[in-house]
Amino acid sequence: MRRSILLAAALGTTLALTACSGGGSGDDPTTGSEDTAGSTGALTVWVDETRQAAVTDAAKAFETETGTTVEVVLKNFDDIRADFLAQVPTGKGPDITVGAHDWLGEFTTNGVVAPLELGDKAAEFEKVSIEAFTQDGQVYGLPYATENIALIRNTALAPAAPATWDEAVAAGQAAGTRFPILVQSDGADGDPYTHYPLQTSFGAPVFTQNDDGSYSSELAMGGPEGQAFATWLGAQGAAGTLSQDTTYDIAVEAFKNGESPFIVGGPWMIESFEGLNLAIDPIPSAGGQAAQPFVGVQGFYLSNQSKNALVANDFLVNFLSTEEAQTALYKAGNRSPALTVSADKAAAEDPIIAGFRAVGADALPMPSIPEMASVWSFWGVTEAAIVGGADPITTWDKMIADIQAAIGS
């Protein structure tokens, strides 16, 4: 199964403390035995394979202009978070690491990252990308890419974009396809990430947001709005328009074969749909309000143990946030750039990127607060149970109570 980097990171949150205690050491063969943060006159940057070439080019430009050596260390992305958490407190690890924005809560709780000084540069980025890396009024990451889901439409089967869920189902039925609309799930584990925009259309976001876009720990998906969404989930399960058996692979294969005019999914699916004429549309509202998906942001963190923090900040703000660097990162990962000028050009060249970006402009950053780990533990299994026939309101209310107990609210 292919998923976004952000989602893969989020689903691993509940294992983070275990990974922190057992992962990463100074003699990791991918980092070397002496990759101590902030070696005098040098910077160390951890990257994954996808980002390696773009960061290396920016590092060469930085070395030429400043004389500061930059060591770009290749890491397996799945290992970076745990290794960073384990090594930074010991004085090892990098000055800078690539990462997903929803690592922020864990990183700040463990005191391993430092805020950045972006100054006027912050205004040059997509607003949601800065919000995603903001906590307590401070920005902790330099964003470089955003990603989100949207409605992917086969224009040969559905010439017009549906505004509501009911319109989408009706259009799918009129097309005579096997599935009116495809929304993936994952068996008994569910898939709350993919179902989230349908939930927000009922006015039931996961947590309340602060004015700066960051999240409080106040759960917001209970009450009448959450119950209305749960009731709707049960009705869709009974009608067969949603099924916990429609896995990612089944959904992608069915859409590829023309078995539905619509699939709710992300840019990571697009390469599977070669040969289809596609449009990217907002996800249709089921509850009357805007259907807002999560947006994930990828970026770079600064270690709070860096002995060259000012130099590292300079590299991030003046070399990795240039149009050239951000465009190179976009071309490597095929995710909309976080820098607005690069995003504008990418959207002008690619209508698929333009469509996902337009939907992402109204999306909500996935919460990075530590309390989110407790939500993942109960959320998907509850939704799957309701779609499978469990009583919607009592099942949803129990989930809310269980989450609140877990986060101590």
Side-chain angles (χ1 to χ4, degrees), residues 83-173:
D83 286 357
F84 192 78
L85 283 163
Q87 293 190 32
V88 168
T90 70
K92 296 186 176 182
D95 298 276
I96 295 166
T97 186
V98 70
H101 90 264
D102 71 324
W103 300 357
L104 177 58
E106 188 180 9
F107 280 0
T108 55
T109 297
N110 285 275
V112 297
V113 289
L116 299 178
E117 296 296 334
L118 298 184
D120 294 341
K121 194 72 178 181
E124 298 180 21
F125 287 86
E126 303 282 80
K127 181 181 178 182
V128 71
S129 71
I130 296 295
E131 289 179 346
F133 278 109
T134 297
Q135 187 176 99
D136 297 328
Q138 295 183 303
V139 180
Y140 282 87
L142 180 85
Y144 69 82
T146 65
E147 63 179 10
N148 54 270
I149 60 176
L151 186 71
I152 304 172
R153 173 167 53 96
N154 183 335
T155 59
L157 297 174
T164 67
W165 176 267
D166 289 344
E167 287 181 14
V169 172
Q173 291 171 340

Side-chain angles (χ1 to χ4, degrees), residues 198-292:
L198 302 169
Q199 178 177 320
T200 58
S201 76
F202 284 86
V206 58
F207 289 108
T208 59
Q209 280 186 280
N210 302 312
D211 291 340
D212 63 3
S214 61
Y215 285 90
S216 77
S217 59
E218 181 183 355
L219 203 63
M221 58 181 180
E225 294 82 6
Q227 291 175 346
F229 170 64
T231 300
W232 178 84
L233 275 179
Q236 298 305 309
T241 49
L242 291 179
S243 171
Q244 67 266 41
D245 296 328
T246 305
T247 65
Y248 178 94
D249 292 337
I250 289 173
V252 168
E253 187 70 15
F255 187 81
K256 180 178 70 174
N257 293 333
E259 296 179 43
S260 179
F262 310 108
I263 185 170
V264 176
W268 49 89
M269 289 181 175
I270 296 300
E271 66 181 16
S272 299
F273 304 145
E274 186 176 355
L276 299 180
N277 291 321
L278 303 176
I280 308 301
D281 305 313
I283 295 168
S285 173
Q289 300 185 34
Q292 297 176 283

